[in-house]
């Protein structure tokens, strides 16, 4: 486990819903500052970001060094804020994420509209350092802060007919200027099989580097599925729907021969226009930047069994 991670006793942890509630945000941030500032100033989040209380989950540490905050928050795909990698960090600066609510519907006993505070109630935040591999063959190592998606979905009591879960991003062209152009079929939608959604690696993310998620990385709530290409990790979620049938997904709709539903990281199956055998680690020195891509992005031990019997060339 990296030594820079502050250790916090459970009794000291402010519940996340308190953190994200508008009235207490400032007070909480000030109280938290003391313990989270233990992180080195040059590697962590800059001043002005809002610290979160979390515990590091050492099970998910990786041997590679995390990318710097500035790399993670400065090189993004978030087409709602522009298509260039440096567009989201500029264009999402003024994006307001409070108040925020999530609509839950479909094949579940508990449905309705939940505020972000409702969503976070009872969850304890943990830091997990995950490899993150974009389909465009670049990669990052990111200390995400979040909670297992499974612990959220269980609260809605999915019915036995729920075989998939679909996620939808906010649609509001007045706040997301990229949606004024028809580059994608808005709103952005993604989906997982129920067993993928309930897998312990699948994370609902609200922060990184110990602070509230920067807007350009999908604030206030995004998914991270570390064994799949980055486009599955949908940002700024406003809707969760349980369904019996496989949901439509944005990049599959845009280019079905290039982006499949499963999108498991697979160095043996190339994208039609480029190789997936290697990746470029953002921020690494030029000669060290390219590295081999690992099956399931290095998480094969934990997830390969989910796909037993499937032809991963056909079901890419
Ligand atoms: N979610 C939404 N709503 N819109 C997007 O354009 N881009 C996806 C994914 N989630 C995207 C999205 C892609 S292609 C990638 S690689 C990751 O977000 C990038 O996440 P990051 O910017 O935090 O690295």
């Amino acid at each position: 486990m990296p030594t820079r991670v502050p250790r916090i006793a459970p009794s000291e942890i402010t519940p996340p819903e308190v953190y994200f509630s508008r009235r207490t945000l400032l007070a909480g941030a000030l109280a938290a500052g003391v313990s989270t500032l233990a992180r080195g100033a040059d590697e962590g989040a800059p001043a002005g970001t809002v610290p979160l209380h979390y515990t590091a989950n050492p099970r998910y540490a990786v041997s590679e060094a995390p990318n710097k905050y500035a790399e993670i928050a400065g090189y993004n795909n978030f087409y709602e804020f522009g298509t260039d990698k440096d567009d989201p960090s500029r264009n999402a600066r003024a994006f307001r994420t409070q108040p925020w609510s999530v609509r839950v519907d479909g094949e579940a006993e508990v449905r309705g509209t939940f505020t972000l505070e409702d969503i976070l109630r009872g969850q304890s935040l943990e830091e997990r350092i995950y490899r993150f591999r974009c389909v465009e063959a670049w990669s990052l190592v990111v200390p995400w802060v979040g909670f297992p998606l499974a612990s959220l979905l269980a609260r809605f009591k999915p019915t036995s007919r729920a075989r998939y879960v679909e996620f939808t991003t906010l649609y509001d062209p007045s706040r997301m200027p990229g949606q004024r152009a028809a580059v994608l079929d808005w709103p952005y939608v993604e989906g997982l099989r129920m067993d993928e959604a309930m897998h312990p690696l699948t994370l609902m993310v609200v922060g990184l580097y110990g602070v509230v998620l920067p807007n350009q990385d999908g604030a206030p709530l995004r998914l991270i599925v570390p064994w799949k290409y980055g486009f599955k990790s949908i940002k700024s979620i406003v809707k969760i729907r349980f369904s019996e049938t496989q949901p439509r997904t944005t990049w599959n709709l845009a280019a079905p021969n290039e982006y499949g539903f499963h999108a498991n990281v697979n160095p043996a199956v190339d994208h039609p226009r480029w190789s997936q055998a290697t990746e470029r680690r953002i921020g690494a020195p030029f000669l060290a930047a390219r590295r081999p891509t690992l099956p399931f992005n290095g998480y094969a031990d934990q997830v390969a069994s989910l796909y037993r019997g499937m032809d991963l060339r056909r079901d890419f």
Side-chain angles (χ1 to χ4, degrees):
M1 191 183 4
T3 49
R4 60 183 173 71
V5 175
R7 287 178 181 279
I8 302 163
S11 58
E12 285 178 61
I13 295 174
T14 309
E17 71 273 16
V18 175
Y19 255 95
F20 282 87
S21 97
R22 228 173 333 166
R23 265 172 306 157
T24 53
L25 191 62
L26 188 61
L30 292 174
V34 181
S35 53
T36 45
L37 286 178
R39 211 185 273 280
D42 55 338
E43 57 185 2
T49 48
V50 180
L52 293 168
H53 270 293
Y54 59 89
T55 44
N57 188 332
R59 244 197 99 185
Y60 299 101
V62 292
S63 54
E64 297 131 89
N67 278 86
K68 295 194 174 89
Y69 178 94
E71 291 162 351
I72 301 163
Y75 192 89
N76 300 98
N77 271 340
F78 199 174
Y79 277 22
E80 286 83 342
F81 293 100
T83 53
D84 287 342
K85 306 298 178 215
D86 59 352
D87 282 342
S89 57
R90 262 182 295 120
N91 299 336
R93 219 170 274 160
F95 180 57
R96 278 183 54 87
T97 58
Q98 286 182 320
W100 193 268
S101 58
V102 178
R103 163 116 204 118
V104 177
D105 66 18
E107 293 293 344
E109 283 173 37
V110 180
R111 298 184 294 271
T113 300
F114 299 87
T115 64
L116 186 62
E117 294 77 42
D118 294 333
I119 295 284
L120 292 166
R121 190 157 295 125
Q123 303 289 354
S124 38
L125 299 182
E126 48 181 280
E127 180 184 67
R128 297 182 178 192
I129 304 177
Y130 279 166
R131 279 183 289 269
F132 185 64
R133 168 65 155 78
C134 187
V135 74
E136 294 168 295
W138 50 266
S139 67
L140 296 158
V141 175
V142 184
W144 301 112
V145 178
F147 55 91
L149 177 65
S151 67
L152 176 64
L153 297 189
R155 278 168 38 187
F156 305 126
K157 301 192 168 52
T159 70
S160 58
R161 290 153 70 98
R163 292 181 53 223
Y164 295 90
V165 55
E166 177 189 272
F167 304 88
T168 307
T169 293
L170 175 71
Y171 177 68
D172 185 348
S174 70
R175 292 157 71 196
M176 294 181 142
Q179 290 176 334
R180 293 174 212 156
V183 282
L184 289 173
D185 191 1
W186 310 112
Y188 197 100
V189 284
E190 254 306 336
L192 295 171
R193 282 186 345 210
M194 267 320 262
D195 60 345
E196 297 173 326
M198 300 305 279
H199 193 280
L201 275 173
T202 305
L203 204 61
M204 263 314 207
V205 164
V206 296
L208 59 83
Y209 261 115
V211 300
V212 169
L213 204 56
N215 290 341
Q216 59 269 33
D217 285 281
L221 191 67
R222 75 166 302 173
L223 193 67
I224 288 293
V225 193
W227 71 95
K228 292 180 180 282
Y229 291 118
F231 65 87
K232 299 295 289 182
S233 293
I234 183 172
K235 298 177 168 183
S236 305
I237 295 167
V238 292
K239 191 169 163 196
I240 297 176
R241 189 174 69 88
F242 297 92
S243 70
E244 206 172 356
T245 51
Q246 183 173 299
R248 301 176 328 144
T249 57
T250 288
W251 279 104
N252 182 249
L253 288 169
N257 61 324
E258 300 186 15
Y259 310 105
F261 175 80
H262 291 92
N264 293 314
V265 174
N266 190 345
V269 176
D270 288 338
H271 183 279
R273 291 184 280 132
W274 57 81
S275 165
Q276 295 292 16
T278 63
E279 63 200 55
R280 181 174 60 90
R281 180 63 48 83
I282 299 301
F286 184 73
L287 286 174
R290 281 222 92 84
R291 57 182 67 222
T293 286
L294 303 170
F296 297 103
N297 202 26
Y299 298 97
D301 287 357
Q302 292 162 76
V303 299
S305 62
L306 296 178
Y307 308 101
R308 200 167 286 143
M310 275 174 61
D311 177 352
L312 296 178
R313 281 186 176 276
R314 203 196 55 199
D315 292 319
F316 60 90

